[in-house]
Amino acid sequence: MASTQADERRVQKIDVLVVGAGFGGMYALHKMRERGLKTQAIEAGGGVGGTWYWNRYPGARCDVMTIDYSYSFSNEIQQEWTWTERFCSQSEILEYANYVARKLDLFRDIKFDTRASSVEYDDAKRRWRIETEQGDVYDAKYCILSTGPLSVPKGVDIPGADDFQGELYLSARWPHEKVELDGKRIGVIGTGSSGVQIVSVVAHQASHLHVFQRTPSFSLPMRNAKMDPEYVAQIKKHYPAMREVTRMTFSGGTRPASSRPLFSVPVDERNAMLEEAWKTAGHNLLGIFSDLLLYKEANDVVADFVRGKIGEIVKDPDVAEKLKPKSEPIFARRPCLDTNYYEVFNKDNVTLVDCLSTPIERITPRGVIVAGEEIELDVIIAATGFDALTGALLSIDIKGKQGASLKEKWAEGARSYLGMAIQGFPNLFTTAAVNGPSALANFILLNEQNVNWINDLLDYMDANGFDTVEATEEAENKWLDRIALLASRSLMPKANTWYTGTNIPGKPRTFPMYAGGLGRYTEDCQLVAQNGYEGFDFYSEASPEAEAELAEEEAS
Ligand code: NAP
């Protein structure tokens, strides 16, 4: 931690540094300021909203219902804001984030276009030194990393990508200015949630669209609709009570969750339930039986049902067959929600390229080469995913006690306690991060739960005169055992996805998220607090430096 005098002059001494101004960072900033702490947030983007700031590709839309995907901590906010659609567009969610930031007067304490480069613990001072790529230096007692699970795009790992002379866009770094796509020859690489949403829209703009699909995804009909004002009024009237309930559900939302295992339901009734879910809201398919993520044979029934629907929609049997996912259980990779995705493959201007049998060999100045033939393109859209869960944290040089690096600690996979604290990294917190439910739960409610829990922990420290908290190694080990146990019961670790890290070459294969649901996770966290913050070591007032001075004085 070499620093010059000039460096020291520009150090800004604060209580809390929050990294990220997505929904987690925004709430963390608000809550820390509310408790009277001098708090600064830094954000790599040019505005608030995190993922919704960056992912502004055509068709970008949330796959969680808007009545759930919004802050619950302020009834004033949830009464004042009115969503227009069941599943809202990226632009409306971004507007909401800006509305909240204005309402809470957050902008004055967020420095935009500022990316954390290093976060280092000073053992002597028991404080964090945070440096940014833009040259800022902060000296903070606490550091909260709200960097999001899906914020580092994987990029285009295909030879020749730099040679392309047309327009190449990453879905997760979509330009702010209007991109003209009408009448162009477009190629979309990737068919996860982002790719599926893009394809469903640009198919209607392109002169010709090639969809480069490697692993097919299961996609379910979103059945989006305008909000009925009477429904909105009903929700608003009962919002606070409703939130109390949804916070303790598996997903953190109003999606149905059943206690009935699939085979407990007679076949006719079961089929009617599947049809009804498909007709009304595809995501209900995940919740109408209790064992779809636990029992492969039950899962197979729903997977077959969806494969059947793909076959009914897509007219060309060969194309339909290629679109049907076969290698993984349904829901083991996050299901996509779409609006007429499979339908676009009936259009004459859409061609599916099966990259499992014919991978993209390379990108050329004029297009891409597949099976030895060049497909000419004006635009390539890469929806190739993210270095998820750990990518953003590990892109920062984080060093804890005695200079120990997080990268080394996590070489074999992420290790933390409750997904909020890391042994060896005192007074450093993460929100909605790896080792918690993260992207498996309603992201906004999870962030609220995490920030509230951290806030309560700080209350406890204040009440007991502690100034430093650190997770113990034993607690971390036990927590990881719990995560592994929950994962072992789930089908989710079976797929090659960003959940398991297999989408990034060289990343260790793990299933690092808490698969027990938001409600159970919240109870686990509450229990830790009730047991006097079991699994944490606390230190009081004096820093080691001061303690050493005291010891010297006493000795003399
Ligand atoms: P993703 O699910 O990881 O999908 C990436 C896609 O790119 C996969 O189909 C992958 O194929 C393909 N791919 C990667 N490299 C490739 C290559 N070299 N050649 C050909 N294909 C390649 O990423 P995502 O679609 O951005 O979604 C990530 C997550 O973000 C989602 O699961 C969801 O949680 C969230 N999300 C949500 C929404 C929403 O709320 N509606 C929208 C977008 C994203 P392989 O699988 O074979 O690697």
Side-chain angles (χ1 to χ4, degrees), residues 51-52 55 57 59-64 69 87-88 93 150 154-159 171-172 188-197 212-217 222 328 333-338 355-356 359-360 382-386 388 439-440 496-499 502-504:
T51 203
W52 303 107
N55 289 268
Y57 56 78
R61 195 171 280 286
C62 189
D63 59 6
V64 178
Y69 195 83
F87 295 91
C88 262
I93 300 171
L150 292 158
K154 183 179 119 152
V156 193
D157 55 349
I158 300 170
S171 58
V188 174
I189 304 175
T191 53
S193 299
S194 306
V196 161
Q197 291 188 331
F212 298 93
Q213 169 192 273
R214 201 160 57 186
T215 311
S217 298
M222 182 178 264
E328 294 163 352
R333 88 174 34 215
R334 191 179 175 103
C336 313
L337 292 190
D338 72 82
C355 296
L356 287 177
I360 299 175
T384 43
F386 298 86
L440 299 179
N496 291 324
T497 60
W498 61 264
Y499 286 178
T502 46
N503 65 328
I504 302 293

Side-chain angles (χ1 to χ4, degrees), residues 97 150 232 253 256 258 260 277 297 314 380 449 454:
L150 292 158
V232 172
S258 171
R260 296 174 84 182
E297 285 183 42
V314 180
I380 295 177
Q449 185 275 348
I454 292 163

